[in-house]
Amino acid sequence: MAKKRNIIVGQSGGPTAVINSSLAGVYKNAIERGFDKVYGMIHGIQGLLDENYVDLSTQIHSELDIELLKRTPSAFLGSCRYKLPEIHEDKAVYEKIFEILNKLDIDSFIYIGGNDSMDTIKKLSDYAILTGQNQKFLGVPKTIDNDLALTDHTPGFGSAAKYIGVSTKEIIRDSLGLSYKKSSITIIEIMGRNAGWLTGASALAQSEESEGPDLIYLPEIPFDIDKFLENVKALLAKKSTIVIAVSEGIKLADGRYVCELGSSVDYVDVFGHKQLTGTANYLASFLSEKIGCKTRGIELSTLQRSASHMASRVDIDEAFMVGGAAVKAADEGDTGKMVVIDRVSDDPYMSATGIYDVHRIANEEKLVPRNWMNKEGTYVTKDFIDYVKPLIQGDYSPIMVNGMPRHLVLNTKGTRKPAKK
Ligand code: F6P
């Protein structure tokens, strides 16, 4: 069989616990489909522009490496937040990229990322068509935020949701243990930017033996700080221990982020996203001042997207599946598209892949529907919980060495020794 041309894969945007499972899916399927070389961009398109890439056969040597990769958090290849200019604004950038792709004899370009990263696939596939080049450009969905359009959910979300549900449950137990004759309020800050999917997942802490968080505030609904104080006071009249989940992205009616009310960080990325941090601590200080009881702010921060020890099996498997599906689609001639996950059934849970034009996905944000929140905007509904539950099922045991999880890490010199059992 004549050898096919080469494939190149990159990772972009905020990492997840399962982004490397998609990379493993791309690699394995590309080899099985007879692609000659599989290159990895080091730090996505930004690294590629500096001709920073690696031949993945120097990194992945065995089935055990594939298994390690599936269980390794963060972007194995390194990620980036890089916005390509509009084609008419700066053709030179595109010329440079295509010069590198042609030099490497690339047939297919696969990018694992969220809505900002799909903008890269959109622009590159548009440019290829405009200039009559024959590379194919495919997107693989990835984001803990779960805010990509047209896919039932995104790889990365299920594992982060599981970590958030479990951590919330453990935080509730911790605070109840110290509740004798004193009140306490704990506020947990959860990622997700403008979408409340992850914050809503704190409700997974509800079970036979756990009430779950007392209040949940999503960014989809303007945050009223006076009403918040009223709600907390009303709860304190009934119970002494209160746990509240808030999204990092909750905003006041005037559009200011709540985190901007405190000592906020001013960093804004190239996509115009402000770094969101400090909401829980601000609200904890606010309540301490107004109520006078013990308060604590907990920011789950990067723990929620790197907790591969808590990853969901469904999530790891689906991440692998979408990686493979992108290779198949490219091999069959698709371009300018993103693979999506379709939910086939809930019980038993089954999913399959589909594919959509990336122009319908890039830069769009899928938010939590209003009817999946209660009337007051202080909790999620049963429909929300039923939607998330199948996505957190099962686990993959980490491969433990000396009591710690073993990860697969990039060796840019390409001399890494194969992993031993
Ligand atoms: O987009 C994914 C995400 O994890 C968001 O939930 C969060 O706001 C953002 O990334 C944080 O990004 P960074 O780590 O670059 O500050």
Side-chain angles (χ1 to χ4, degrees), residues 12-16 81 114-116 142-147 190-195 198 248-249 267 269 273-277 301-302 304-305:
S12 164
T16 76
R81 292 199 191 275
N115 31 26
D116 295 334
K142 170 269 355 167
T143 168
I144 60 166
D145 298 351
N146 197 36
D147 60 352
I190 297 168
M191 279 184 168
R193 217 170 333 245
N194 302 321
L198 285 173
E248 61 175 7
Y267 181 75
D269 73 15
H273 305 308
K274 185 180 161 43
Q275 187 182 347
L276 303 173
T277 178
S301 186
T302 52
Q304 62 206 295
R305 66 182 189 203

